[in-house]
């Protein structure tokens, strides 16, 4: 039999229901695989050995009694980004600020995983507070890319992407504010989907930039992505920004969609995403993926999104502004790090925050405070909100007049070396240049692995759709996946 | 590696009115962050570059364009005012750095 850790979640489901293997065996196989390569890759901040084993026993009982009537994730391991609260399980946000924080409640998405029978196997490493594109900014040290241990896995959700790429879990929950699901998916050869803003609850997700943050899945296949998306989507009374809209049967609808032609589908290629600085291998791969869709009957259309280059500056005003406000809650009083030997309340605030937050987080708080301060508010913050409207209008016009989905690179390059961009915050920010436009517009986006570059590193293809267009994303991504030129389970069993 | 899909040449010709060390110290105080001399100096360079970069937006005309602060047009989400279970005092105490007599203890204020 093929190694359990190489199987897709869909196959695991079949094996669990038929009794081919048990949830305890499946969990053990994943914990063993974490034991083998987890310390080297550094993708986990915490591993839930005991909790996972206990949950697996309960899952086996349920599987025996209810078989195929069990909820979809019963007995299947899920890795969870350490920015999502897990009741009774340490949640650090990869920050000294929350190094010893044990939450008294779980995020709604975590509850949904558990209600669906999923087994939280561990908490994954990431850039502190989601701020970064390399998973290097963590108190637990950098996460390594399984394809080349000298290279970053992307970020901020690097640990989740690596956990899936390395067979530590078939599924992972991650967050995306400006590209933090899609870019690591591309760098590690897995699928990553950022749902429409409002599709998934953020209750219990540690806030970074609230008008942008969204939770989404990492998985090795598009099928599995659909399974996890279906499990976490929907309105939550505890998050008033979650939208009350019926959740489609993403997985079973995708099975039907697989049999359909792509005839009539218009795929837009935005010229502004194919710019100087885009690596030749990346461009070639994206254009080849477009051809795949054309062969399936889709029509390729050249489109223009004129304000694309404004997205990154807009993002680096809005996201820090919102972060400076959100992170004001870490005051050293109610929870989180508190400095010692304090003489005054003012000193308590200042020293607790300066000791608790890493350099990048402090930089963003300062930028945010600056652009929101009197005298600069109109020139920076208000201006950014207005240009955000122009970026949204570009997408609206493209989807109304020219295309049904947009196909583009995820990132200008493949995975870069650890330390390569550490000396320039601005160069690190430029990683997000092709992912932030969709974030600002609240659009769903997916990164699906397609080919390897000349260095043998994965390249993902980015697809974007109108609000709540997750089904078309899954359908189109699956066509690209079929023609992918490499095996992304390569590191799932060592 | 080249990741610069946007021209960075402006960095060498940064304007004279870039953010100063004094401004950084002031902002840090407002944001309740403690910044020493060396950090302020490093930040002057990093923040200067970042603000210069995001400042490019001034070149885009936004006359009459409305501001977007959230992408969906939903507003005023209400729910019934029904008492629901919340965190227990012991749970709050468990995560607090210093908790005593039902409250958070901090250094003397007055």
């Amino acid at each position: 039999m093929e190694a359990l850790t190489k199987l897709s979640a869909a196959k695991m489901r079949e094996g669990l229901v038929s009794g081919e293997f048990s949830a305890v065996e499946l969990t053990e196989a994943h914990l063993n695989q974490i034991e083998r390569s987890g310390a080297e890759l550094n993708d986990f901040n915490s591993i839930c050995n005991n909790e996972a084993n206990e949950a697996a026993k309960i899952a086996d009982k349920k599987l025996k009694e209810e078989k195929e009537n069990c909820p979809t994730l019963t007995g299947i391991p899920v890795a969870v980004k350490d920015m999502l609260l897990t009741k009774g399980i340490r949640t650090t946000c990869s920050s000294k600020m929350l190094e010893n924080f044990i939450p008294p409640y779980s995020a709604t998405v975590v509850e949904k995983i558990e209600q669906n029978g999923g087994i939280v196997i561990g908490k994954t490493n990431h850039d502190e507070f989601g701020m970064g594109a390399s998973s290097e900014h963590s108190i637990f040290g950098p996460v390594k890319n399984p394809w080349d241990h000298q290279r970053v896995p992307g970020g901020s959700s690097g640990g989740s992407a690596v956990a899936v790429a390395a067979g530590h879990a078939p599924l992972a929950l991650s967050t995306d504010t400006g590209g933090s699901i899609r870019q690591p998916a591309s760098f590690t050869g897995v699928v990553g989907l950022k749902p429409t803003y409002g599709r998934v609850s953020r209750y219990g997700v540690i806030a970074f930039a609230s008008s942008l943050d969204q939770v989404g899945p990492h998985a090795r296949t598009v099928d599995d992505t659909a399974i996890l998306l279906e499990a976490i989507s929907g309105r939550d009374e505890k998050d008033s920004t979650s939208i009350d809209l019926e959740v489609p049967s993403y997985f079973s609808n995708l099975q039907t969609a697989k049999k359909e032609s792509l005839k009539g589908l218009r795929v837009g290629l935005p010229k502004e995403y194919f710019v100087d600085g885009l690596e030749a291998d990346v461009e070639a791969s994206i254009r080849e993926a477009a051809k795949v869709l054309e062969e399936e009957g889709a029509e390729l259309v050249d489109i223009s999104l004129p304000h694309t280059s404004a997205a990154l500056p807009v993002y680096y005003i809005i996201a820090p502004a919102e972060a400076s406000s959100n992170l004001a809650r870490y005051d050293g009083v109610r929870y989180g790090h508190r400095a010692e030997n304090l003489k005054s309340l003012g000193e308590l605030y200042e020293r607790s925050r300066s000791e608790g937050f890493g350099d990048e987080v402090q930089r963003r708080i300062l930028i945010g405070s600056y652009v929101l301060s009197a005298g600069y508010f109109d020139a920076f913050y208000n201006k950014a909100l207005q240009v955000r409207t122009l970026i949204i209008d570009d997408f609206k016009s493209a989807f109304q007049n020219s295309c049904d989905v947009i196909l583009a690179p995820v990132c200008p390059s493949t995975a870069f070396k650890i330390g390569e961009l550490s000396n320039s915050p601005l160069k690190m920010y430029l990683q997000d240049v092709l992912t932030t436009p969709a974030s600002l517009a609240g659009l769903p986006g997916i990164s699906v692995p397609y080919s390897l570059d000349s260095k043998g590193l994965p390249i993902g293809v980015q697809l974007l759709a109108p609000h709540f267009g997750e089904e078309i994303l899954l359908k189109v991504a699956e066509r690209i996946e079929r023609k992918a030129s490499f095996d992304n389970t390569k590191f799932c069993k060592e | 590696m080249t990741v610069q899909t946007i021209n960075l040449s402006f960095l060498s010709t940064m304007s004279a009115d870039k953010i100063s060390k004094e401004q950084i110290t002031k902002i840090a105080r407002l944001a309740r962050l403690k910044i020493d001399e060396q950090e302020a100096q490093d930040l002057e360079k990093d923040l200067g570059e970042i603000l210069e970069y995001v400042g490019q937006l001034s070149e885009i005309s936004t006359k009459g364009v409305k501001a977007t602060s959230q992408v969906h047009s939903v507003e005023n989400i209400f729910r019934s005012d029904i008492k629901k279970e919340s965190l227990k005092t012991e749970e709050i105490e468990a995560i607090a750095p210093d908790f005593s007599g039902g409250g958070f203890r901090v250094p003397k204020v007055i």
Side-chain angles (χ1 to χ4, degrees):
Chain A
M1 189 179 65
E2 199 176 8
L4 292 179
T5 48
K6 281 191 155 201
L7 299 178
S8 67
K11 287 278 176 217
M12 288 177 192
R13 167 76 176 173
E14 286 172 19
L16 287 166
V17 169
S18 70
E20 194 185 335
F21 46 82
S22 70
V24 167
E25 285 168 330
L26 190 63
T27 300
E28 201 176 78
H30 284 92
L31 289 169
N32 287 342
Q33 178 66 3
I34 294 172
E35 182 85 31
R36 275 191 284 272
S37 56
E40 164 66 13
L41 295 172
N42 200 28
D43 53 340
F44 282 98
N45 292 345
S46 307
I47 299 156
C48 307
N49 275 298
N50 296 338
E51 295 88 347
N53 281 322
E54 284 310 307
K57 282 180 203 160
I58 296 168
D60 275 333
K61 197 163 166 272
K62 218 170 157 72
L63 281 159
K64 210 167 178 181
E65 288 163 5
E66 298 174 34
K67 294 207 162 58
E68 68 274 14
N69 295 323
C70 280
T72 51
L73 298 176
T74 306
I76 297 175
V78 183
V80 177
K81 188 179 187 181
D82 214 9
M83 274 174 82
L84 277 58
L85 302 191
T86 41
K87 186 176 178 174
I89 297 169
R90 186 176 73 142
T91 300
T92 69
C93 210
S94 296
S95 177
K96 184 177 166 67
M97 183 57 84
L98 293 170
E99 195 174 359
N100 302 307
F101 180 64
I102 298 176
Y105 65 95
S106 281
T108 296
V109 285
V110 171
E111 280 183 351
K112 285 190 168 209
I113 293 297
E114 288 168 348
Q115 282 157 11
N116 273 288
I119 292 172
V120 175
I121 197 147
K123 303 296 297 289
T124 59
N125 201 353
H126 56 88
D127 287 297
E128 184 181 0
F129 281 91
M131 299 175 185
S134 65
S135 300
E136 292 172 286
H137 302 120
S138 160
I139 44 156
F140 300 105
V143 183
K144 294 176 185 169
N145 193 321
W147 292 84
D148 178 348
H149 294 193
Q150 307 293 316
R151 291 178 188 270
V152 304
S156 69
S157 311
S160 283
V162 169
V164 169
H168 297 161
L171 304 170
L173 281 184
S174 305
T175 66
D176 190 313
T177 304
S180 287
I181 292 176
R182 290 162 285 161
Q183 185 247 22
S186 178
F187 280 16
T188 59
V190 302
V191 185
L193 188 149
K194 181 201 92 75
T196 307
Y197 184 80
R199 176 77 286 187
V200 179
S201 163
R202 288 103 46 87
Y203 178 74
V205 178
I206 294 172
F208 161 14
S210 301
S211 80
L212 300 158
D213 295 342
Q214 194 51 202
V215 179
H218 270 125
R220 287 189 294 271
T221 69
V222 177
D223 266 351
D224 287 4
T225 306
I227 291 172
L228 189 52
L229 178 66
E230 196 171 321
I232 60 172
S233 292
R235 161 92 181 136
D236 176 14
E237 201 188 45
K238 292 170 179 166
D239 175 3
S240 61
T241 63
S242 64
I243 304 289
D244 193 4
L245 195 70
E246 199 188 335
V247 179
S249 304
Y250 290 116
F251 179 70
S252 73
N253 292 353
L254 176 60
Q255 306 319 306
T256 314
K258 283 178 186 177
K259 297 174 203 127
E260 296 164 3
S261 150
L262 293 187
K263 211 166 162 43
L265 182 85
R266 294 163 307 162
V267 178
L269 297 160
K271 66 173 187 200
E272 292 81 3
Y273 283 62
F274 296 88
V275 288
D276 292 344
L278 184 65
E279 283 182 358
D281 285 355
V282 175
E283 173 158 7
S285 175
I286 304 306
R287 299 223 181 259
E288 210 182 295
K291 283 269 177 292
V292 168
L293 300 181
E294 198 174 28
E295 281 159 21
E296 292 276 332
E299 181 195 346
L300 303 183
V301 192
D302 287 321
I303 62 165
S304 173
L305 300 166
H307 295 92
T308 298
S309 68
L312 198 67
V314 168
Y315 177 84
Y316 277 98
I317 291 170
I318 291 176
E322 294 182 9
S324 72
S325 169
N326 271 327
L327 272 60
R329 74 189 69 182
Y330 301 98
D331 56 5
V333 173
R334 293 157 301 161
Y335 54 87
H337 176 74
R338 179 187 287 199
E340 285 174 0
N341 302 320
L342 299 158
K343 291 185 195 70
S344 69
L345 188 60
E347 196 189 351
L348 183 155
Y349 295 144
E350 285 192 356
R351 280 192 32 222
S352 300
R353 288 166 62 78
S354 295
E355 290 172 14
F357 293 135
D359 289 347
E360 181 57 26
V361 175
Q362 295 196 39
R363 245 190 316 267
R364 300 228 191 166
I365 292 173
L366 291 169
I367 296 167
S369 305
Y370 182 79
V371 299
L372 289 174
S373 64
Y376 300 97
F377 185 86
D378 282 330
F380 287 103
Y381 186 66
N382 233 352
K383 185 81 181 177
L385 296 186
Q386 286 179 305
V387 180
R388 185 176 189 177
T389 306
L390 297 175
I391 292 164
I392 293 169
D393 290 347
D394 280 357
F395 281 114
K396 269 190 192 154
S397 155
F399 287 129
Q400 263 164 24
N401 307 317
S402 314
C403 61
D404 306 300
V405 289
I406 291 171
L407 185 146
V410 180
C411 194
S413 71
T414 51
F416 50 92
K417 290 213 165 114
I418 292 172
E420 192 175 331
L421 301 182
S422 317
N423 60 354
S424 168
L426 185 57
K427 280 190 180 163
M428 188 70 88
Y429 294 177
L430 289 170
Q431 278 294 311
D432 303 332
V433 66
L434 304 178
T435 45
T436 44
S439 301
L440 290 165
L443 302 175
I446 194 168
S447 171
V448 59
Y450 181 64
S451 63
L452 300 177
D453 72 357
S454 54
K455 297 187 283 279
L457 300 168
I459 302 169
V461 175
Q462 181 171 220
L463 296 164
L464 306 173
H467 288 152
F468 301 102
E470 280 81 359
E471 291 199 88
I472 188 73
L473 284 186
L474 293 165
K475 178 180 177 176
V476 178
E478 190 274 332
R479 295 306 158 104
I480 294 173
E481 177 183 53
R482 279 188 214 175
K483 296 285 167 69
S485 65
F486 67 97
D487 171 19
N488 71 353
T489 66
K490 190 175 165 185
F491 304 102
C492 291
K493 177 80 184 166
E494 283 170 13
Chain B
M1 189 195 63
T2 44
V3 293
Q4 286 114 311
T5 56
I6 289 164
N7 189 356
L8 287 182
S9 59
F10 63 86
L11 290 178
S12 54
T13 57
M14 289 203 332
S15 59
D17 60 343
K18 61 180 182 166
I19 191 166
S20 66
K21 249 185 348 194
E22 290 67 38
Q23 280 174 302
I24 289 168
T25 312
K26 188 181 161 216
I27 292 288
R29 201 166 55 241
L30 293 173
R32 296 287 192 184
L33 291 170
K34 202 177 166 67
I35 305 284
D36 65 27
E37 182 67 18
Q38 182 59 48
E39 286 168 323
Q41 203 160 330
D42 294 346
L43 283 163
E44 190 182 9
K45 179 181 163 286
D46 290 340
L47 298 196
E49 279 186 13
I50 294 162
L51 291 167
E52 186 76 15
Y53 174 67
V54 300
Q56 291 180 96
L57 292 184
S58 64
E59 291 160 24
I60 298 171
S61 168
T62 48
K63 205 162 173 231
V65 176
K66 69 173 182 47
T68 296
S69 41
Q70 61 128 338
V71 295
H72 297 308
S73 50
V74 289
E75 49 189 49
N76 297 342
I77 304 291
F78 296 110
R79 60 178 165 80
S80 319
D81 187 18
I82 299 166
K83 200 173 112 181
K84 283 188 181 161
E85 207 181 325
S86 185
L87 294 180
K88 297 180 185 71
T89 312
E90 309 84 77
E91 290 174 318
I92 293 166
E93 180 171 6
I95 55 173
D98 193 353
F99 196 86
S100 169
F104 302 103
R105 197 154 57 179
V106 295
K108 199 169 163 186
V109 179
I110 40 169

